[in-house]
Amino acid sequence: MRLSQFHLRTEKETPADAEVISHKLMLKAGMLRKLGAGLYTWSPLGLRVLRKVEGIVREEMDAAGAIELLMPSVQPRELWEETGRWEKFGGQLLKLQDRKESWYCVGPTHEEVITDFARAELASYKQLPVNFYQVQTKFRDEIRPRFGVMRAREFLMKDAYSFDIDEAGMAASYQKMHAAYTRIFSRLGLDFRAVQADSGAIGGDASQEFHVLAESGEDALVFSTGSDYAANVETAHAAAPAPRAEPTETLRRVETPTQKTCEDVAALLDIPLARTAKSVALFAGETFVLALVRGDHAVNPVKLAKVEGLADYRMATEAEIAEYLGSTPGFLGPIGAARAIRVVADREVAAMADFVVGANATGFHLAGVNWGRDLPEPDVVADIRDVVAGERAADGGELRLVRGIEVGHIFQLGRKYAEAMGFKVLDANGKATVPFMGCYGIGVSRIVAAAIEQNHDSNGILWPAAMAPWQVAVCIINPKHEAHVAEAAEALYRELRAAGIDAVLDDRGLRPGAMFADIELIGIPHRVVVSARGLEAGTFEYRARTAAESENLERQALLTRLRS
C-alpha cells in the first residue's frame, strides 16, 4: 500500500465534542467521521483496523467449531412478541413500519431470529451440539450516545448461539466459548479480565463479561488477591460477616435536630460510621419496603432487584414515606412504622448489634438498637450492597477495584428462548424436548476503541501488533527530488512485503516532521526512514513506536529486526 494512493486525512486539533482519549485519537487519526448522534463512518484507515480485529475473531470462532451464517438486521415484531421482549426491551429498541404498516425493529441482538432459524432447521439430538455465529451491524437507540464507538447507537458485533440437548452440553459449549474468547483477547494483545456478571436484558442462568482494563472504563470491576475470583461490581460479593454480637447497650432516643445523613449522625454521636444503618424507602407492587444497609455502604440496585418481589421496585415518594413511616427523609428507620412494612436487610446489617437507625420522627434517631429485642428479625436478609475496596473476599484475599471496558459477554441462556418460541427436538428416546441455548457476544467495533484507551501516549495510538493498520511504515525523505532514495525505499518496501511483513510506503512527499507525526498518531509499530544521508552510510533509520530514540541499522540487521 502506498499512502499517496490511500485516503489518509489526519487532524492537528483535538475535536471539541470528543470526551475520551479513544474518541479524540480516532477522529484525529481520521479513523472515524461522525454522521449523526452515535453514527459513524469508518474511513479506509479505521476499516483496516476493524478488519484485523474481525479476522482474529473469525479465526478463533471457526477453530472452536462455530459455523458462520448471516441473519437479517431488520426483524419482524411477531418474533419479539413470542418472547415478550417487544415491550420489555425498552427504548433502546428502534421500531419502524413498512409500507404495509407492519412493525419491525432494527436488531439490537438476535436471540429470537436464531431460535426461529433453529426451530425450522433442527429436529433431532443428532444435529446437536451446534453453534452458529455472525459478524453483523447492530443498533441500540442509546439515550445518550457518547465516547465515539465506545457507546454508539450503531456498532459491529460478533454474536454466536449454541444449541445443546441438555444442561451439561450447554455448560460444555459455554466453556468452549470462554476459552475461545480468552484466545481472541490474548491474540489481540489486550490486558483483560473475565468477570462474573449480571445477565441483564438478555437473561439466562449464568454469564461472564470480558473487560479490557483501562482507567477510563465505565464499569467497576472487583477481583480478589487470594484467587482468580473476579466479578462486575453489580454481582461481586465480599466474605460473609462475622456472627452477630450480644447486645451491650440499651435502646435510647437521641436528638439529631439537623443530622439527616449517617455521616452527620455518626459524627454527632462520636461513633464509627459502620455502626449506623441507612434506610432506603421503596415500593414494590403494593408493598412498602425498607432496605437497610450499613452507613458506610451503598445499595446496589442490581442486587436489590434480585431479591424476591423486588424485580420492579421504585423509590417511595415523600407522601408515601409519611403515610407508612410517619416521618420525613433523613430520619427513617425500621422501628415504629405507622403501617405494615417489609424490611430487607443487607447481611452486614443483619449481623449488627447496638446500632443506630432513624427514629421515624423528625429530628431524632435511635441508638443501641438490637435485632430480636427492639425490633423483629428482618423479613429478608440478602447481599444488597456494593463491595468496598480493601475488604476481605470469601477466599480470604483482599478485594480490589479496577475499571474496565466491556468488550465481550457470554451467557448460559438455558431454555428461556426455546420454550418461549416452542422450539423442540427429539432426544435419543424419540421424545420431544426443549434444547438448551448459550449466547456469546463480542463488540468488534468497541474493541478498537478499548485498545486505544489502554494503549496510547501523548503522540497518538500505540496499537498492539495484531491490530495495527500496518506493521511497518517505510518513509521516504524528499522522494520528488531524490530519485535514488525513492528507488531504494521502493525496493525495501517490496522486500518487506515479499517477506510477509505488512508494510506501507509513505511516498506522500511530506516534510519529515509532519510525516513522522502522522505515523506516530495512527500508531504504526515500526518506522523505517530512507534518506540520502542514510544510503550514503549504508544504513536505514529505524524506530519502534514505543522507543525513545532511533537506531541506524544496516539492511540485514534491519530485516532481521523486523522479521522478529
Side-chain angles (χ1 to χ4, degrees):
M1 178 65 66
R2 303 167 187 273
L3 286 185
S4 63
Q5 300 172 9
F6 185 80
H7 179 76
L8 176 64
R9 182 185 171 190
T10 60
E11 304 286 348
K12 292 183 179 180
E13 301 300 324
T14 300
D17 63 340
E19 300 175 65
V20 295
I21 193 65
S22 60
H23 193 194
K24 294 175 182 177
L25 289 178
M26 291 180 83
L27 291 173
K28 286 187 69 175
M31 295 177 63
L32 294 177
R33 291 294 180 251
K34 184 177 179 179
L35 177 64
L39 304 173
Y40 291 90
T41 297
W42 288 77
S43 75
L45 177 69
L47 188 62
R48 283 188 68 87
V49 178
L50 194 65
R51 292 290 184 250
K52 295 282 183 78
V53 175
E54 192 177 328
I56 289 175
V57 170
R58 274 198 169 91
E59 287 173 11
E60 292 298 340
M61 291 301 295
D62 292 343
I67 305 167
E68 187 171 7
L69 48 58
L70 184 62
M71 293 175 277
S73 60
V74 176
Q75 306 175 18
R77 170 181 181 169
E78 290 74 18
L79 284 183
W80 282 71
E81 288 183 330
E82 286 188 54
T83 61
R85 292 208 299 173
W86 183 255
E87 298 297 337
K88 287 183 180 179
F89 206 87
Q92 286 190 332
L93 194 63
L94 178 63
K95 302 174 182 179
L96 63 156
Q97 286 182 291
D98 65 7
R99 67 180 67 194
K100 297 180 181 179
E101 298 187 352
S102 298
W103 281 98
Y104 296 83
C105 67
V106 181
T109 184
H110 276 70
E111 284 79 17
E112 283 82 1
V113 179
I114 194 65
T115 305
D116 180 67
F117 175 80
R119 67 183 174 184
E121 299 287 325
L122 306 176
S124 168
Y125 74 97
K126 295 179 181 180
Q127 295 170 279
L128 307 180
V130 66
N131 189 338
F132 299 109
Y133 83 94
Q134 65 173 351
V135 180
Q136 196 225 46
T137 298
K138 298 283 195 291
F139 189 95
R140 295 181 184 176
D141 199 3
E142 296 278 356
I143 295 176
R144 186 184 165 219
R146 60 194 189 279
F147 307 153
V149 296
M150 194 84 75
R151 190 164 293 281
R153 293 196 294 169
E154 183 180 275
F155 53 95
L156 187 66
M157 181 178 179
K158 186 284 303 174
D159 48 320
Y161 307 89
S162 63
F163 298 88
D164 287 273
I165 196 64
D166 54 27
E167 192 169 3
M170 175 184 68
S173 294
Y174 181 88
Q175 290 304 322
K176 186 178 290 187
M177 285 294 97
H178 186 285
Y181 275 39
T182 299
R183 291 193 299 272
I184 287 168
F185 297 120
S186 296
R187 284 185 61 186
L188 290 171
L190 300 171
D191 184 11
F192 70 96
R193 273 187 179 270
V195 303
Q196 296 176 16
D198 179 66
S199 296
I202 303 300
D205 302 320
S207 73
Q208 285 176 288
E209 294 171 347
F210 287 77
H211 285 259
V212 169
L213 303 185
E215 292 181 3
S216 59
E218 288 188 276
D219 295 303
L221 311 178
V222 180
F223 71 93
S224 171
T225 60
S227 69
D228 61 355
Y229 173 77
N232 192 300
V233 73
E234 295 173 342
T235 62
H237 301 285
R244 184 192 299 166
E246 293 296 321
T248 62
E249 299 180 6
T250 58
L251 179 67
R252 61 195 184 277
R253 182 180 170 108
V254 294
E255 191 171 357
T256 53
T258 60
Q259 287 75 23
K260 294 185 177 183
T261 67
C262 288
E263 290 82 359
D264 290 343
V265 171
L268 177 69
L269 301 181
D270 193 24
I271 61 173
L273 184 58
R275 285 189 55 194
T276 65
K278 187 185 304 179
S279 300
V280 181
L282 315 167
F283 241 97
E286 300 298 318
T287 304
F288 188 94
V289 179
L290 204 62
L292 304 180
V293 294
R294 226 167 63 183
D296 58 338
H297 291 159
V299 171
N300 183 306
V302 174
K303 290 182 180 179
L304 186 61
K306 290 183 177 180
V307 173
E308 185 177 356
L310 298 188
D312 298 314
Y313 78 85
R314 62 173 175 82
M315 303 303 294
T317 65
E318 288 197 20
E320 290 166 338
I321 290 171
E323 178 184 353
Y324 280 83
L325 298 180
S327 183
T328 56
F331 305 97
L332 309 184
I335 299 176
R339 295 181 58 179
I341 64 172
R342 183 186 185 203
V343 176
V344 176
D346 181 71
R347 57 183 184 168
E348 292 281 348
V349 175
M352 291 172 70
D354 300 328
F355 58 99
V356 176
V357 296
N360 284 326
T362 301
F364 293 91
H365 279 72
L366 297 175
V369 176
N370 284 275
W371 296 105
R373 187 193 72 181
D374 307 313
L375 74 168
E377 296 291 339
D379 297 300
V380 177
V381 176
D383 180 1
I384 60 170
R385 69 175 179 92
D386 288 336
V387 299
V388 179
E391 63 181 317
R392 188 169 57 88
D395 57 25
E398 180 184 318
L399 291 180
R400 296 183 180 174
L401 271 65
V402 294
R403 307 297 300 181
I405 301 167
E406 183 190 342
V407 290
H409 204 158
I410 59 177
F411 304 82
Q412 291 185 33
L413 294 176
R415 289 169 156 168
K416 174 181 177 179
Y417 292 93
E419 282 184 338
M421 299 183 68
F423 171 34
K424 295 182 178 181
V425 298
L426 297 180
D427 63 15
N429 299 316
K431 181 180 178 181
T433 186
V434 178
F436 287 77
M437 288 177 60
C439 170
Y440 319 96
I442 282 183
V444 178
S445 50
R446 179 179 268 204
I447 286 173
V448 178
I452 296 173
E453 291 292 331
Q454 192 179 83
N455 301 277
H456 64 272
D457 63 12
S458 59
N459 294 324
I461 302 168
L462 297 169
W463 289 118
M467 298 177 62
W470 296 280
Q471 295 299 310
V472 181
V474 178
C475 301
I476 311 174
I477 302 298
N478 201 13
K480 295 181 180 179
H481 300 95
E482 302 277 3
H484 69 294
V485 174
E487 290 172 4
E490 291 265 2
L492 177 62
Y493 165 71
R494 287 194 297 269
E495 189 169 0
L496 293 174
R497 299 285 295 180
I501 296 173
D502 188 11
V504 64
L505 185 66
D506 194 343
D507 57 346
R508 294 176 295 166
L510 299 181
R511 293 181 178 275
M515 178 166 51
F516 298 161
D518 274 357
I519 299 304
E520 289 188 331
L521 173 60
I522 67 178
I524 299 178
H526 307 277
R527 185 185 79 199
V528 179
V529 179
V530 184
S531 65
R533 181 181 299 177
L535 292 178
E536 289 176 9
T539 61
F540 299 92
E541 181 184 299
Y542 165 77
R543 184 173 180 178
R545 176 65 179 82
T546 55
E549 301 291 340
S550 300
E551 304 174 63
N552 292 315
L553 301 177
E554 294 182 349
R555 188 184 201 87
Q556 193 55 49
L558 173 66
L559 293 175
T560 300
R561 176 75 62 85
L562 293 177
R563 288 194 183 103
S564 65

